[in-house]
Amino acid sequence: MEHIRMPKVENVRLLDRVSSRKATLGTLYLTATHVIFVENASETRKETWVLHSQISSIEKQATTATGCHPLLIRCKNFQVIQLIIPQERDCHDVYISLIRLARPVKYEELYCFSFNPKLDKEEQERGWKLVDLNEEYNRMGIPNNYWQISDVNRDYGVCDSYPTEVYVPKSATAHIIVGSSKFRSRRRFPALSYYCKDNNASICRSSQPLSGFSARCLEDELMLQAIRKTNPESDFLYVVDTRPKLNAMANRAAGKGYENEDNYSNIKFQFIGIENIHVMRSSLQKMLEVCELKSPSMSDFLWGLENSGWLKHIKAIMDAGIFIAKAVAEEGVSVLVHCSDGWDRTAQVCSVASLLLDPYYRTMKGFMVLIEKDWVSFGHKFNHRYGNLDGDPKEISPVIDQFIECVWQLMEQFPCAFEFNERFLIHVQHHIYSCQFGNFLCNSQKERQELKIQERTYSLWAHLWKNRADYLNPLYRLDHSQTQGTLRPQIAPCIFLYKFWSGMYNRFEKGMHPRQSVTDYLMAVKEETQQLEEELEVLGERLASLQKVQLNDNEVKSKQQDQNKELGRSTSNISLANTPQEYNNNLKSFPSRSPSQGDEEDSALILTQDNLKSSDPDLSANSDQESGVEDLSCRSPSSGGCLPSEDSGKDSDEAVFLTI
Amino acid sequence: MEFAELIKTPRVDNVVLHRPFYPAVEGTLCLTGHHLILSSRRQDDAEELWLLHSNIDSIEKRFVGSLGTIIIKCKDLRIIQLDIPGMEECLNIASSIEALSTLDSVTLMYPFFYRPMFEVVEDGWRSFLPEQEFELLSSVTDEWRLSCINKEFSVCPSYPPVVIVPKSIDDEALRKVAMFRHGSRFPVLSYYHKKNGMVMMRSSQPLTGTNGRRCKEDEKLINATLRAGKRGYIIDTRSLNVAQQARAKGGGFEQEAHYPQWRRIHKSIERFNILQESLIKLVEACNDQSHNMDRWLSKLEASNWLTHIKEILTAACLAAQCIDREGASVLVHGTEGTDSTLQVTSLAQIILDPRCRTIRGFESLVVREWLQAGHPFQQRCAQSAYSNSKQKWEAPVFLLFLDCVWQILRQFPCSFEFSEHFLIMLFEHTYASQFGTFLGNNENERSKLKLQQKTMSLWSWVNRPQELSKYKNPLFEANSLVIWPSVAPQSLQLWEGVFLRWNRSSKFLDEAYEEMVTLIEYNKQLKAKVNALRRKLAELETDDRMQENL
């Protein structure tokens, strides 16, 4: 490819993020889609694959004392890779190549257009049909007496960032919708997001009204009235503005703003202060700086975490979702949600509320539907927010990351409520940035249609669905109380304990995570249980027939012996061994050396990382080998993250990580 | 003294009990010598609260008109509220509780009055004897001996009567070494690493003083633990600065010149009131339910609790690393050798030795490294986070140890035979208990109190099968490996099971736990069924064959 100045560099060192003195020597390759580092050590040849689309920044660092040239690559999936390249020219070439490769200018350059999972046309089509929004609205009970599908946006004529099929109140005529759309930012008129058939309460979404200081719009007022009347039991409608009040007021000066309670009949207006995308971007930035600290103290970490404000923002989004879910489920009141354009905070809050309200969205399929509904179809600007194409860096913000974290925080509080596990969330996040599948390309449905995404690329949902066994939560049971009805989380931070999600933000620092996975263990137990159930049936039948016929069947016997071998789950694969970390990395705190003692002797004895860790296997960020093509999301717990069972018997806690 | 003298009002009716997450209960309040009892009079679901007076950390009283309210804050961190009609009754109850919960004499404590209602299968006082431990050791090495030098507690008042020391060091030398160590706590064996024969010893600081006193016997003793040509590490749980300051008070540390085969590493683990303050701040933060995220995080940070956890774990990991990875022997001490030293030596064993991760092994570890090693439980655990009387020797040293174990358990959820509940149970019994196990400050005091004759051991109760089953970890699969925990801040968490236990409902987490147990139990049942069927089939088939052969 023309952008690759240097397809291969040898004698590159990949630094360990935890211990910077440890490095592995290998060869760096640049391909059209990936950066690949292959370790030289012949017995392992470990490979680290990074998709160009995952690269968020490349930094040339100061030349080292030994004349080498470090290159720091930060990824959108929170991987950080530090390479040391011997020659200045090579380093520069790699740098320049990557700068260009990481910032494609045309959609056609993205990986999904070259990614080929070897599926035929029919399978590709079926994949895209896995999630069907019409089906979803039908599931909610719509259309019905109050709600109908409107074709007013047929050719994106009213709003180009909305889908063509929009659900609106039956009583809202095309005239009202178009009138209302003219009074809303980017013509994003109020449309249905979630309908609760038990009590007719619903969640609608829109952008801010163009009210300025005094403007009003009859059609918009009628639109809100129509929404209120779809819920005959309730005599008012909540209008939730998810922005801080100050931001909303500032918008008035620009001819935008928020609803005046006096102009709309029977609305209750409510601000919920979620900060804007710029605040969120810088908050994540600060938190990642904390994650990158080399051996931080507890105070450094907690202080940095607090200072980043990240968990505060997560809580604000969650609280907004809780407020709306409560209004719908407990008060039976419908809610209209908006922020400025109604595609960031509004998407977050609507989807958190839906997730709390409806157990369906807590299933794997339902979660895919939820993202399609509240994010993809309603024009969340995936391209801008996640920087798929080279663009304005100020447009980038971790909006959906925050939603995904809200889900994780809920999973921590309600361990039985979700059909999917943490790995599922991490892989969804990964693919929002990977551009390996077409689902999240572009900024709107309209653009995706123009690009013929469904013909030219594959759907992530089909891929995840195919591998769903890896993503199941073993504690999920359809008839469990946590899978019924609304989730009602607590609010106080020490009660709803918002935790730092190391599984996501330190995803590649495997050494920081629990070394044994309860989820994987329980999945293995469940799998074995299923085998046992089957065998029990077979044995029962055989016993019956044997007792009847009293035949000596050699075949049966030999078969039984085979099964004997199979039985007995090798749960030992979870007894992951590990290696010590740096428990004494702070050299300054080292013992005073008495003058009487020679330096030579000292250096031989001192517990530096070098001699303490010399025998340690690689625990580094890169033990997660990602080939991107097929390896990543379909990795089964038994083949990837875990130890092959034959190793666990030996007392070889060193060999283990090398085998991964 | 009669308890009756202290009980001004033994009984009040129409008292209302408030607890977070439970509906208020109205009932009759009774005070006995050791318990506060509230029983509801409703017949259908009669509810009773039994609270040991010794569990009460502090009480507050308030009045609104003639309705008095007593807020009781317990050492297990729970807070309950009693509404008592009548000012006089309320005052009487309050002052009675105050008197009963602050009894001076140990012999008035509940364990001396407790009459067990269960059959003792195994006497817990005899479950973990040093002789048994030595027998185990003797099967792998003969370089150590059991010394009875401290038989009458005459050499070291805080050591048990028998200790394990290098075979080559006789009692006479030990006596000299004892003179050279703070509180006479001479180096003794703490742990023998079977894998490579390396050992961990513990002691108190050497009394080098400012003029650099030395003791040849001390040097000989600890050198006796080294293999020829090998070196060892001394892990001093104090910062170098603190260790140097200790010299002015007659203490100090091992000089390189006199211990050339040893490398000293200083790790700073906090002590006494700093830890106590930390606990108080942490509990305060956990009980503050204001809805602000920033305040929560900064309060958590300011408490420094997790900082202590990280420091202790790091030192323990380092000790384990020296032994297992460096193949070196280790000596651990701080000042007295009764607090941070024991945290480090006991945690290192949990990392290194799979036995310590079983229930029985962990109990044995607590007995060896805490009770027999002379951790002053009575002084450290007299008061908890709510107490106003700030005694300088109070410190949640053992609670920090349990928290560290919990952190490792969280990182290796399948490697421990016991669950979190076991750790919480131990935490409760160190502060208030019907059993005598944690009374007294050392074996010397315990023997003077005749605890073995007069009280019941906690282990007698816990080790009965029906009780044990409550504490078993359903995920347990014996893991014979050394387990290296992560000490990165990202890996350490607040121990919700202790610190948020009383101010939030754990319903959803409990449900998850039950679900997990159900899954595993069902699997076990199926396995048993399948095996039974297979056996039956095999028998039938053999019969067949025999008939054929006939």
Side-chain angles (χ1 to χ4, degrees), chain A residues 477 533 564 571 578 583 591, chain B residues 264 477 484-485 515 522 534:
Chain A
R477 181 159 51 80
E533 277 170 342
N564 252 322
T571 37
N578 62 333
Y583 300 120
Chain B
R264 215 176 58 246
E477 298 231 321
W484 299 106
E515 194 64 28
Y522 178 58
R534 275 183 184 170

Side-chain angles (χ1 to χ4, degrees), chain B residues 280-543:
Chain B
I280 291 169
K281 280 188 193 158
L282 176 69
V283 170
E284 213 173 81
C286 292
N287 288 337
D288 174 10
Q289 306 208 348
S290 70
H291 293 190
N292 182 324
M293 193 75 218
D294 285 353
R295 267 188 44 211
W296 160 244
L297 280 177
S298 62
K299 281 183 157 185
L300 181 64
E301 193 264 315
S303 79
N304 273 329
W305 184 264
L306 289 170
T307 300
H308 303 316
I309 296 289
K310 184 168 152 58
E311 281 167 356
I312 296 164
L313 267 178
T314 306
C317 289
L318 181 71
Q321 202 172 16
C322 290
I323 293 170
D324 187 66
R325 292 304 168 109
E326 291 292 288
S329 286
V330 170
L331 169 68
V332 184
H333 69 73
T335 305
E336 295 90 346
T338 54
D339 294 281
S340 56
T341 303
L342 305 182
Q343 289 172 329
V344 172
T345 57
S346 53
L347 285 167
Q349 292 180 54
I350 283 166
I351 293 166
L352 293 169
D353 188 357
R355 186 170 71 113
C356 296
R357 298 173 223 141
T358 64
I359 292 184
R360 192 89 190 174
F362 189 77
E363 289 172 353
S364 158
L365 181 77
V366 169
V367 172
R368 268 184 289 126
E369 290 297 294
W370 292 88
L371 290 161
Q372 292 169 355
H375 174 66
F377 276 100
Q378 197 173 309
Q379 284 181 355
R380 299 289 182 264
C381 301
Q383 300 291 338
S384 165
Y386 301 121
S387 165
N388 303 318
S389 70
K390 302 224 164 66
Q391 304 280 9
K392 76 170 196 312
W393 48 75
E394 272 156 23
V397 176
F398 189 69
L399 175 58
L400 277 162
F401 159 70
L402 293 176
D403 195 333
C404 289
V405 177
W406 178 79
Q407 304 283 352
I408 306 177
L409 170 61
R410 205 189 67 79
Q411 295 186 24
F412 294 88
C414 309
S415 298
F416 288 79
E417 194 193 2
F418 50 87
S419 67
E420 176 184 11
H421 307 297
F422 186 64
L423 301 174
I424 296 173
M425 180 273 294
L426 288 176
F427 158 62
E428 289 174 338
H429 282 282
T430 51
Y431 282 88
S433 177
Q434 65 269 44
F435 302 106
T437 300
F438 293 106
L439 292 180
N441 290 308
N442 49 51
E443 293 294 89
N444 188 7
E445 287 186 25
R446 275 176 215 118
S447 96
K448 281 184 189 144
L449 287 167
K450 295 197 167 50
L451 292 181
Q452 293 206 21
Q453 295 85 44
K454 291 185 173 170
T455 74
M456 178 62 63
S457 160
L458 172 65
W459 316 123
S460 303
W461 178 65
V462 168
N463 284 338
R464 292 168 312 131
Q466 63 267 49
E467 196 59 30
L468 265 186
S469 64
K470 292 185 200 164
Y471 303 118
K472 287 220 163 119
N473 175 9
L475 299 170
F476 177 58
E477 298 231 321
N479 173 0
S480 61
L481 304 177
V482 174
I483 54 175
W484 299 106
S486 162
V487 295
Q490 287 94 322
S491 310
L492 304 177
Q493 288 190 0
L494 176 73
W495 190 6
E496 297 172 59
V498 163
F499 297 107
L500 300 180
R501 180 178 177 193
W502 307 104
N503 38 22
R504 58 124 201 231
S505 157
S506 59
K507 177 168 173 267
F508 304 117
L509 302 180
D510 295 345
E511 282 173 359
Y513 188 80
E514 278 162 30
E515 194 64 28
M516 193 171 85
V517 173
T518 312
L519 281 181
I520 293 169
E521 281 306 311
Y522 178 58
N523 177 278
K524 280 186 189 154
Q525 281 170 18
L526 273 184
K527 244 186 223 166
K529 266 190 206 163
V530 165
N531 283 332
L533 265 186
R534 275 183 184 170
R535 264 198 305 277
K536 206 165 170 188
L537 261 174
E539 275 166 25
L540 277 175
E541 278 164 351
T542 334
D543 288 352

Side-chain angles (χ1 to χ4, degrees), chain B residues 45-269:
Chain B
D45 56 341
E47 235 196 291
E48 284 195 343
L49 168 81
W50 284 67
L51 190 67
L52 266 178
H53 293 314
S54 54
N55 191 2
I56 295 173
D57 207 20
S58 82
I59 66 167
E60 289 163 24
K61 39 189 187 287
R62 282 202 304 255
F63 291 94
V64 181
S66 66
L67 179 76
T69 294
I70 300 180
I71 294 168
I72 299 179
K73 299 184 173 178
C74 303
K75 291 173 190 167
D76 61 14
L77 307 181
R78 120 180 77 164
I79 299 179
I80 60 171
Q81 181 186 328
L82 296 171
D83 293 344
I84 299 170
M87 191 183 284
E88 200 192 324
E89 276 85 356
C90 183
L91 282 173
N92 282 345
I93 293 285
S95 67
S96 309
I97 296 175
E98 216 151 57
L100 290 164
S101 62
T102 53
L103 296 173
D104 283 336
S105 167
V106 183
T107 51
L108 292 176
M109 303 293 268
Y110 186 49
F112 288 93
F113 298 82
Y114 169 68
R115 291 289 158 262
M117 302 293 281
F118 60 89
E119 194 197 343
V120 179
V121 185
E122 179 195 343
D123 181 6
W125 290 117
R126 308 200 51 79
S127 292
F128 307 101
L129 299 175
E131 289 81 2
Q132 294 164 352
E133 199 60 35
F134 183 71
E135 215 167 286
L136 276 178
L137 179 71
S138 308
S139 66
V140 284
T141 171
D142 59 356
E143 291 166 359
W144 299 82
R145 68 183 182 94
L146 208 54
S147 165
C148 298
I149 186 177
N150 203 35
K151 207 168 179 185
E152 308 295 326
F153 304 102
S154 52
V155 174
C156 171
S158 63
Y159 266 179
V162 286
V163 288
I164 302 174
V165 293
K167 209 172 204 171
S168 58
I169 307 297
D170 61 20
D171 282 358
E172 214 32 61
L174 288 181
R175 255 180 259 280
K176 285 185 181 145
V177 177
M179 306 275 281
F180 182 64
R181 293 273 170 180
H182 189 120
S184 307
R185 294 174 65 92
F186 53 88
V188 295
L189 181 78
S190 163
Y191 171 67
Y192 179 86
H193 197 46
K194 277 188 213 133
K195 190 168 137 191
N196 58 10
M198 292 302 133
V199 296
M200 181 161 55
M201 318 253 296
R202 56 175 156 75
S203 69
S204 59
Q205 65 177 346
L207 302 174
T208 55
T210 39
N211 51 4
R213 212 158 69 94
R214 65 186 285 192
C215 168
K216 291 266 188 206
E217 287 78 8
D218 189 81
E219 292 157 24
K220 197 176 156 214
L221 194 165
I222 73 165
N223 285 339
T225 68
L226 292 175
R227 293 276 154 80
K230 282 280 200 173
R231 293 164 192 279
Y233 292 92
I234 295 173
I235 296 180
D236 193 323
T237 61
R238 307 162 293 180
S239 68
L240 177 62
N241 208 3
V242 173
Q244 277 167 341
Q245 283 165 7
R247 287 191 298 201
K249 293 181 200 153
F253 50 86
E254 293 81 357
Q255 304 284 336
E256 284 84 348
H258 304 153
Y259 299 84
Q261 285 165 284
W262 294 81
R263 180 82 225 158
R264 215 176 58 246
I265 302 174
H266 290 269
K267 284 282 170 189
S268 161
I269 298 178

Side-chain angles (χ1 to χ4, degrees), chain A residues 107 442-453:
Chain A
Y107 283 120
C442 307
N443 292 317
S444 66
Q445 198 85 293
K446 186 174 173 230
E447 285 181 43
R448 274 187 294 274
Q449 226 156 49
E450 286 164 1
L451 263 181
K452 297 198 170 39
I453 291 292

